[in-house]
Each structure stands twice: as C-alpha cells, then as structure tokens.
C-alpha cells in the first residue's frame, strides 16, 4: 500500500470520527458581538463597498466579453487569441480593462486593438483591483449577454457558439483546469458542469441581470455575490456539458495564498455584505439563503484556518449574530448541515471548528 493510499485511508477514518465527537464538546463561546467587531476591525478592516450599481445597457452585440488585465504579459496573447478566433455566428465585442499594469500588458493590448478595431476596445485605468476592472467595463454593457474571461485563462474555440446556443438567463458551461509544467507540457483535467459554480467565468449572463450589479470593490472573494445573491433572484439557469473554458491553475493565486493573509477574513465581510444587500436585489431570506449561509460558514472557516483562534472565534460570533438576525426561525433539512447548524445555534465554537476540520479532511 502506497503512502498516499494509506493517508487517504487514515483521513477517511478520522473525518467521520471527528463528526461524531464534535457535537459532544459543549464549550460555548462567550465573546460578545461588540468585542468580535472590534477585534476584526483592528485586525483587517471591512472595505465596506457595495454590490449595487446603475449600469447602462446598449445591445449592439449578441455577447459582451469582459477581460480584466493586470500584469499578464505572459498570458494575455494566448487569452486574446482564444477569444478573437471564436468559430461562431454570434456577434461579440471584447472590452479589455488594463488595470494599472506596469509590464507590457498595455502595449500588447494596444497592438490587438489595431488588429481588431471592430472587435476589441481597451479601457486604461489606475489599479482598482479585479472588481474595479470588471466594474469599469460593466458601466456600459453592449451585448444581450455578458461573459467574463480571466486574462490568464482561455476560451475553447466553440465557447461563444455553445453558450449562446443554450443561453437562458444564466448558462454555465463545463471547463478544464490546466497547468504548464517546467518542460512546457500542458496538463489538463476536464470538469463537467453538474452544479452552478460561484465563479463569473465559464458562463453567460443576460445583460438585464447585471444592470444593477457590480462586484464589490476592495474585497478578496469578490465572486461570492454571484452564488449568494444572483442565484436567489429567480432567474432561469442551466448547465451544458460542452467544455467552453480553460482555467489556468495558479499556485500564487488568492485561493492558494489567502489562508495565511490577514485579508482572508474578508470572506466574512463579503458574506455579511451579501445578506445585508438582499433587499436591494429583491432576494428573499428563504430556505435556499439559509442553507447557503450554513455552507458559507464552513467555507469561511476553511479560508481563515491559519488565522489566530480569537479572530476565527470573532467570525464565528458574528455568523451566529447574522443567523439570529435573518434566520432565527429556520432549520435545515440537509442532513450534511445539521451538525454545523447545531454548533452555530448553540455557539459551540470548538465543535464548529472540528466539523470544519472534518470537511477539510474529505
């Protein structure tokens, strides 16, 4: 038996034991809401921006493709080529936002504008971050539908055709992860769409959905409102099995590095922001929203697992307060969430952390 096989076997045994033991630990957190808020603010303050916007829509094209670019001189050519060479009958416009790049990204974009003057436009701005770059393009939506492409990723040749042929209000395609090894060989892994993801890429959105929406600026995990808010707005959503997107795995990306940064606590801030702004988007505090909240609490714990215990307890305390404010009368029917729910309702922080640990072991 290999070491990896033994490890998987061990973890497979340990995780269920943790789930059994966790509810038996009855240590209640006594941290107050005020203390929790003060701790987090002093540690890393809330950017406190909004998801609400007032974008203009002018449907000159079938699809508006938005590409936020920051210091991607090594990837942007591959990205733009994959977009410009789409095999499709649908019309599309590309807005590339040069978000304060200090490398050759701007120079490369300007060359592409000359080669594709009817297909590509460039917005150049001071650095505002990924949300700020996407939002600059969203201020004037020019297609019946909108899609987002990260500037180090690629579209497959049939992406526009496949997504638009099956387009509902929100349509998600399948994708593949890829990485280029030291020899230059490309390794791929296909991921078929079986459930809607929270990422903006790999899907098309009807432009009206984005008329009053923006990505909250200054946050990490700025994609959270897509699944937390947008999926609760009653839109028709579907998935297709066609692979439409190539997602580059990045060992230096936020997903890989965030747990060690103070800014990882922004996962809580963005969770709170979403629920506070439900009324602005006409989203109900219903069972879907509640079950999503429970799952998000586990996600928040995973993302902040390397932060000091008191910081994690502060987030847990404020999650308890949010549950009490919006979901006091709710109970989950999802058996996989019942232990998490019980730990939150009874303020059993240690038990909650153990349950999150069990999730990590899976």
């Amino acid at each position: 038996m290999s070491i990896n096989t033994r490890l998987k076997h061990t973890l497979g045994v340990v995780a269920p034991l943790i789930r059994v033991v966790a509810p038996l630990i009855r240590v209640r957190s006594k941290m107050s809401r005020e203390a929790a808020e003060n701790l987090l603010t002093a540690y890393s303050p809330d950017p406190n921006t909004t998801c609400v916007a007032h974008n203009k829509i002018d449907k000159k094209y079938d699809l508006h493709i938005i590409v936020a670019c920051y210091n991607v001189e090594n990837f942007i050519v591959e990205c733009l080529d994959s977009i410009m060479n789409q095999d499709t009958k649908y019309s599309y416009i590309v807005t590339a936002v040069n978000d304060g790049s200090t490398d050759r990204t701007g120079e490369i974009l300007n060359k592409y504008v000359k080669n594709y003057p009817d297909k590509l436009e460039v917005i150049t701005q001071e650095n505002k971050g990924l949300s700020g770059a996407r939002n600059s393009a969203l201020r004037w939506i020019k297609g019946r539908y909108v899609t987002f492409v990260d500037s180090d990723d690629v579209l497959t040749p049939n992406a526009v055709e496949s997504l638009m042929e099956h387009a509902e209000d929100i349509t998600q395609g399948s994708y593949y992860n890829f990485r280029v090894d030291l020899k230059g060989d490309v390794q791929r892994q296909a991921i078929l769409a079986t459930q809607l993801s929270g990422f903006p890429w790999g899907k098309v959105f009807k432009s009206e959905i984005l008329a009053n929406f923006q990505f909250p600026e200054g946050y990490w995990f700025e994609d959270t409102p897509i699944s937390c808010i947008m999926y609760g707005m009653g839109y028709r959503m579907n998935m297709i099995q066609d692979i439409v997107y190539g997602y580059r795995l990045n060992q230096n990306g936020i997903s890989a590095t965030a747990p060690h940064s103070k800014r990882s606590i922004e996962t809580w801030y963005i969770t709170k922001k979403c629920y506070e702004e439900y009324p602005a988007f006409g989203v109900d505090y219903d069972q879907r929203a509640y079950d999503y909240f429970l799952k998000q609490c586990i996600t928040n714990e995973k993302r902040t697992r390397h932060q000091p215990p008191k910081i994690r307890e502060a987030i847990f305390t404020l999650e308890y307060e949010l549950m009490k404010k919006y979901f006091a009368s709710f109970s989950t029917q999802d058996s996989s969430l019942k232990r998490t729910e019980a730990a939150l309702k009874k303020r059993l922080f240690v038990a909650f952390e153990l349950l999150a640990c069990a999730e990590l072991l899976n």
Side-chain angles (χ1 to χ4, degrees):
M1 184 182 293
S2 69
I3 293 177
N4 284 340
T5 302
R6 288 177 189 168
L7 182 59
K8 288 180 180 179
H9 176 73
T10 301
L11 295 179
V13 172
V14 170
L17 288 176
I18 291 176
R19 291 193 185 92
V20 171
V21 171
L24 302 177
I25 300 174
R26 316 298 291 179
V27 181
R28 284 174 56 86
S29 171
K30 297 180 180 179
M31 184 179 290
S32 70
R33 175 177 183 170
E34 182 180 11
E37 289 176 341
N38 290 340
L39 267 173
L40 295 187
T41 299
Y43 192 68
S44 184
D46 186 348
N48 198 26
T49 58
T50 182
C51 304
V52 180
H54 303 284
N55 303 318
K56 296 180 180 179
I57 300 176
D58 182 13
K59 302 178 186 179
K60 292 182 179 179
Y61 303 88
D62 293 318
L63 180 65
H64 189 171
I65 302 175
I66 294 174
V67 187
C69 308
Y70 175 71
N71 286 354
V72 284
E73 62 180 7
N74 294 327
F75 308 117
I76 191 60
V77 168
E78 185 179 4
C79 175
L80 288 178
D81 283 348
S82 75
I83 296 172
M84 297 305 173
N85 295 322
Q86 287 293 301
D87 182 14
T88 181
K89 61 180 175 290
Y90 293 97
S91 63
Y92 62 91
I93 182 71
V94 183
T95 300
V97 182
N98 181 16
D99 189 42
S101 297
T102 57
D103 64 359
R104 293 181 56 250
T105 296
E107 177 186 336
I108 295 168
L109 290 175
N110 289 335
K111 288 182 179 179
Y112 270 80
V113 168
K114 292 178 181 178
N115 293 333
Y116 301 94
D118 298 326
K119 262 189 174 182
L120 174 66
E121 61 180 13
V122 174
I123 297 173
T124 300
Q125 64 184 32
E126 294 182 1
N127 183 258
K128 294 183 179 180
L130 181 56
S131 288
R134 288 172 176 163
N135 291 342
S136 292
L138 282 173
R139 293 291 172 261
W140 199 290
I141 298 171
K142 299 177 180 179
R144 295 189 299 114
Y145 284 83
V146 177
T147 192
F148 301 90
V149 180
D150 286 356
S151 52
D152 55 349
D153 296 340
V154 296
L155 293 182
T156 61
N158 68 319
V160 171
E161 188 73 14
S162 294
L163 286 167
M164 294 300 292
E165 279 290 293
H166 299 90
E168 295 285 353
D169 294 332
I170 302 174
T171 295
Q172 175 177 311
S174 300
Y175 68 99
Y176 64 86
N177 290 326
F178 74 99
R179 60 162 50 93
V180 181
D181 63 25
L182 295 176
K183 296 180 181 178
D185 296 328
V186 179
Q187 302 172 344
R188 298 184 179 184
Q189 179 186 16
I191 311 292
L192 295 181
T194 56
Q195 61 182 6
L196 288 166
S197 74
F199 303 113
W201 48 259
K203 48 177 69 74
V204 291
F205 302 86
K206 186 169 283 189
S207 56
E208 285 80 4
I209 295 173
L210 299 168
N212 297 308
F213 175 85
Q214 66 176 5
F215 295 93
E217 298 184 18
Y219 291 92
W220 281 1
F221 316 110
E222 72 288 326
D223 297 344
T224 304
I226 290 177
S227 50
C228 189
I229 294 177
M230 204 175 287
Y231 292 172
M233 294 173 69
Y235 293 114
R236 294 174 300 166
M237 300 179 283
N238 66 330
M239 294 166 286
I240 61 174
Q241 296 301 290
D242 295 357
I243 294 178
V244 300
Y245 197 90
Y247 176 76
R248 187 185 302 269
L249 295 172
N250 181 2
Q251 63 181 5
N252 297 315
I254 288 177
S255 296
T257 60
H260 298 278
S261 169
K262 287 184 176 182
R263 291 193 63 187
S264 65
I265 74 169
E266 290 172 21
T267 187
W268 154 247
Y269 290 143
I270 195 67
T271 301
K272 177 169 71 80
K273 176 63 62 178
C274 286
Y275 285 100
E276 286 175 346
E277 296 196 339
Y278 265 28
F281 293 95
V283 181
D284 294 327
Y285 297 101
D286 57 12
Q287 193 67 44
R288 181 212 70 89
Y290 177 59
D291 285 353
Y292 181 94
F293 166 74
L294 294 175
K295 294 173 185 176
Q296 188 65 25
C297 289
I298 291 292
T299 297
N300 293 345
E301 171 66 21
K302 290 178 182 178
R303 287 173 173 169
T304 58
R305 63 187 180 275
H306 295 298
Q307 301 308 305
K310 281 297 181 183
I311 295 300
R312 300 197 307 272
E313 185 177 359
I315 293 172
F316 173 82
T317 298
L318 295 176
E319 287 170 339
Y320 164 79
E321 294 291 341
L322 189 149
M323 172 191 275
K324 194 166 63 170
K325 179 177 182 179
Y326 296 122
F327 303 110
S329 63
F330 282 81
S331 295
T332 185
Q333 300 304 309
D334 186 335
S335 59
S336 68
L337 296 175
K338 284 187 176 295
R339 291 187 180 94
T340 298
E341 177 184 59
L344 274 163
K345 285 187 173 182
K346 297 174 184 177
R347 302 194 65 173
L348 303 178
F349 173 58
V350 176
F352 174 80
E353 290 224 307
L354 285 172
L355 291 168
C357 177
E359 291 295 320
L360 282 170
L361 293 176
N362 281 340

